[in-house]
Amino acid sequence: MRTDSSPGSLPAREHLPAAAAGPPVLDVVIPVYNEEKDLRRCVLRLHEHLTRTFPYAFRVTVADNASIDATPHVAARLAAELPEVRSVRLEQKGRGRALRTVWSASDAPVLAYMDVDLSTDLNALLPLVAPLISGHSDLAIGSRLARSSRVVRGAKREFISRTYNLILRGSLQARFSDAQCGFKAIRRDVAQVLLPLVEDTGWFFDTEMLVLAERAGCRIHEVPVDWVDDPDSTVHIVKTATEDLKGVWRVGKALTTGSLPLDRLTRPFGDDPRDRDLTDVPQGLARQLVGFCVVGALSTLFYLLLYSGFRLFTGSQVANALALLVSAVANTAANRRLTFGVRGRGGAVRHQAQGLVVFGIGLALTSGSLAALNAASADPDHSTELAVLIAANLAATVLRFLLFRAWVFPDAPPAAPAPGPGPTGAGSAGAGFPDPYRAWSDATVRFRPVRSAGPDATGPATEPATDPGSAR
C-alpha cells in the first residue's frame, strides 16, 4: 500500500484486500449490565452477521459492568463456544469505564461499540467502520437524527434526544448530529490519544469523547441508521439526563478555561492538505475572510457607538479620530487572534504599530469623506454623516484586509512539526501522550491481510505487511 504525499496532491489511499483470517481488524465491544436474558441471542446475531458480511477478521468483546445476575456466566459460555468472542469482567459499573478498559487494551486497529439490544440495524456496521479502515476518518457515529434515518421510538425519547443535541450545539458548539446513539467506532491510534482526556465513566463518556475529538480537529463520519426503540430498556432517563447536563457543564468550563491540552492534538493524524506548502494557492483565505468580516462588522458597530458618544461633546473630526483610534486597536487585536490565528505576546507591539498605520489610512479616507460632506453642506444631518462614514468605512475595510493579510500578518502560524522517531519515542501529541503514529505511520490503516495462495503458489499463504518505508 502506498500513499502519494507529493505537494499539490491528496494522499492516494488503497483499500485493503478482503481477508477472513489473521489478526482482528475490528473489535466490537458490547457493554452489559444484568443482561442474562438477551445477551446470548444478541451476540449470536452479531456474530452471524459479521461472519457473513464483514470481509476482515473481527472480535466481539462482552464487557460485563459488575453484573449481579448470570450475565458473566452467559458471556463466558459464549467465549468458550465462539473463537471470535471474548468476555471481560469489570467489578465497577459504568459504560464509559467498560469502553475505556477494553479499548485501551485492544490490539485491533478499529474499535467499535454497540448496545446489547441491537436497536440499530446491523447493516449500518460496515458503512460505519469502512471510513476508518480506509483512513478517511478518525471516528464514526450512527445518527438517528439524519434526514435519511428511519427511527421508531416514542415521542418522549425523541424529544429528549433532540433537546440534548440542541444543548450540545448551543453550549459546546458541537457539529455532530447525534451524541447518544449507541453505535460508534474509533481508530485505535486516535483512541490512545483521546481516552486519557475523557473523564466520564458513565453515559456521558462518548459525548465527551466526540466533543474533544471535534475540538482536536479529528474527522467524524456520520452514518444514517435504522433504529427501533427497545421498550424494555433499563436506562434511567432522568438520572442519565442529569449526569449528562453535569458533564456538559464540566466540559464547557474546561474548554472555556483552556485546561484541556487540545492545542497539542490539533490534526495529529495523517497528512492534512492545509499543512502543505503549496504554490499559487492562498492558504486559509476563505476562513480569514469570514473571520475578518465578523470582526469588521462588530468593529464598525463599536466605532459608530463611540462616534455617537464622542459627538455629544466634540466636533465631527475629533469624534471620528477618537472613535477610529479606539476601535482600530480593538480591531487589530481581534483580527490578530481570531482571523489570522496569532497567539501569544510575541510581535504584539509591532502588529499594533502596523495596525495604527492602517488606521491612519482609514482615518484619511473617513476624514476626507467628512470634509467633502461639510464642503457640500454647511450643516449636514447626523444620519447623513453616519451614512457617509459607513460608505467610507466599507472602502477602508477592504483595504484594511488586504494590508493585514499582505503586510501586518503575512505569515500563517507555523504548523506543528511532523512526528518522527526520537530518542524518547514521543509523538506529536506532546509529552505524556501515546504516539499516534506508533501503530499507523500515516492516515491509512495498515494491517497484515492474509491472502489465500493460488494454485501456482509456491510460497506461504500469508503475505507480510507493507514495509513502513514504502507508506509514503
Side-chain angles (χ1 to χ4, degrees):
M1 181 188 322
R2 300 184 65 84
T3 300
D4 181 11
S5 59
S6 59
S9 64
L10 293 175
R13 298 183 174 96
E14 299 178 2
H15 285 274
L16 297 172
V25 170
L26 173 67
D27 193 348
V28 182
V29 181
I30 304 179
V32 294
Y33 175 74
N34 291 346
E35 297 286 355
E36 61 180 2
K37 295 182 179 179
D38 299 329
L39 179 57
R40 180 176 182 83
R41 173 180 56 83
C42 293
V43 170
L44 291 177
R45 178 183 163 196
L46 174 61
H47 181 271
E48 186 276 333
H49 177 83
L50 288 170
T51 302
R52 178 171 48 87
T53 65
F54 195 67
Y56 300 94
F58 66 87
R59 179 193 299 133
V60 177
T61 301
V62 179
D64 175 37
N65 293 274
S67 296
I68 56 177
D69 63 358
T71 296
H73 301 290
V74 176
R77 286 198 298 270
L78 287 167
E81 295 173 14
L82 302 171
E84 296 85 4
V85 177
R86 69 168 179 167
S87 63
V88 176
R89 167 76 176 179
L90 287 84
E91 299 303 330
Q92 292 178 290
K93 292 179 61 177
R95 182 182 69 170
R97 179 179 287 107
L99 293 177
R100 183 202 307 275
T101 301
V102 177
W103 281 357
S104 298
S106 179
D107 59 347
V110 178
L111 311 169
Y113 95 88
M114 62 180 62
D115 294 333
V116 68
D117 55 18
L118 301 186
S119 296
T120 304
D121 185 77
L122 292 177
N123 286 328
L125 182 55
L126 186 55
L128 182 80
V129 301
L132 309 187
I133 293 175
S134 70
H136 175 272
S137 301
D138 303 305
L139 298 91
I141 65 173
S143 175
R144 299 163 297 184
L145 303 181
R147 290 183 179 272
S148 56
S149 297
R150 300 183 181 92
V151 177
V152 179
R153 62 176 168 178
K156 179 181 178 181
R157 286 181 177 270
E158 180 77 12
F159 174 78
I160 292 175
S161 180
R162 292 188 178 274
T163 301
Y164 179 63
N165 283 282
L166 284 175
I167 291 174
L168 292 180
R169 288 177 175 268
S171 59
L172 301 180
Q173 287 77 51
R175 295 190 296 273
F176 47 86
S177 66
D178 192 350
Q180 292 179 311
C181 183
F183 196 70
K184 295 182 175 71
I186 185 173
R187 285 171 29 180
R188 179 165 59 95
D189 61 346
V190 182
Q192 288 175 342
V193 179
L194 287 181
L195 291 185
L197 301 180
V198 180
E199 296 183 14
D200 192 81
T201 59
W203 291 94
F204 187 70
F205 170 86
D206 41 355
T207 299
E208 184 174 356
M209 180 182 67
L210 287 173
V211 171
L212 297 184
E214 193 172 69
R215 290 300 185 94
C218 295
R219 177 176 286 169
I220 301 176
H221 176 72
E222 297 198 17
V223 178
V225 297
D226 297 340
W227 196 86
V228 179
D229 192 12
D230 179 14
D232 299 324
S233 174
T234 58
V235 178
H236 195 289
I237 297 179
V238 176
K239 180 181 178 181
T240 302
T242 302
E243 294 299 322
D244 286 347
L245 292 177
K246 291 180 180 178
V248 170
W249 170 259
R250 175 177 55 80
V251 173
K253 181 179 179 181
L255 292 173
T256 302
T257 59
S259 60
L260 289 169
L262 295 181
D263 55 330
R264 303 189 201 175
L265 308 181
T266 303
R267 299 203 304 266
F269 308 110
D271 181 24
D272 194 308
R274 293 171 294 179
D275 296 332
R276 300 179 188 170
D277 185 16
L278 306 179
T279 58
D280 301 326
V281 178
Q283 298 294 304
L285 178 60
R287 182 190 61 79
Q288 290 178 359
L289 277 174
V290 172
F292 184 82
C293 289
V294 172
V295 172
L298 295 177
S299 297
T300 300
L301 178 61
F302 183 49
Y303 161 80
L304 292 176
L305 291 175
L306 290 174
Y307 176 81
S308 298
F310 291 143
R311 191 68 174 85
L312 296 176
F313 55 84
T314 188
S316 60
Q317 293 287 3
V318 176
N320 173 63
L322 291 175
L324 196 57
L325 176 62
V326 176
S327 61
V329 173
N331 180 276
T332 300
N335 276 307
R336 182 179 187 270
R337 174 65 178 84
L338 302 177
T339 303
F340 298 96
V342 180
R343 305 188 183 190
R345 299 181 179 180
V349 176
R350 175 174 58 84
H351 292 154
Q352 283 293 349
Q354 291 173 315
L356 289 178
V357 175
V358 178
F359 149 74
I361 297 175
L363 177 62
L365 285 174
T366 52
S367 298
S369 300
L370 283 175
L373 176 64
N374 291 328
S377 176
D379 187 20
D381 295 335
H382 183 63
S383 58
T384 305
E385 284 185 349
L386 291 180
V388 170
L389 287 175
I390 290 174
N393 265 286
L394 288 176
T397 297
V398 175
L399 182 59
R400 187 183 305 122
F401 176 76
L402 296 176
L403 290 175
F404 272 176
R405 183 175 172 82
W407 180 49
V408 183
F409 309 107
D411 299 321
T424 62
S428 65
F433 294 93
D435 184 358
Y437 287 80
R438 180 174 58 192
W440 301 348
S441 66
D442 58 73
T444 305
V445 184
R446 301 211 333 276
F447 308 127
R448 297 178 180 270
V450 176
R451 299 179 181 176
S452 300
D456 301 327
T458 59
T462 303
E463 179 178 315
T466 304
D467 182 81
S470 65
R472 295 227 173 241

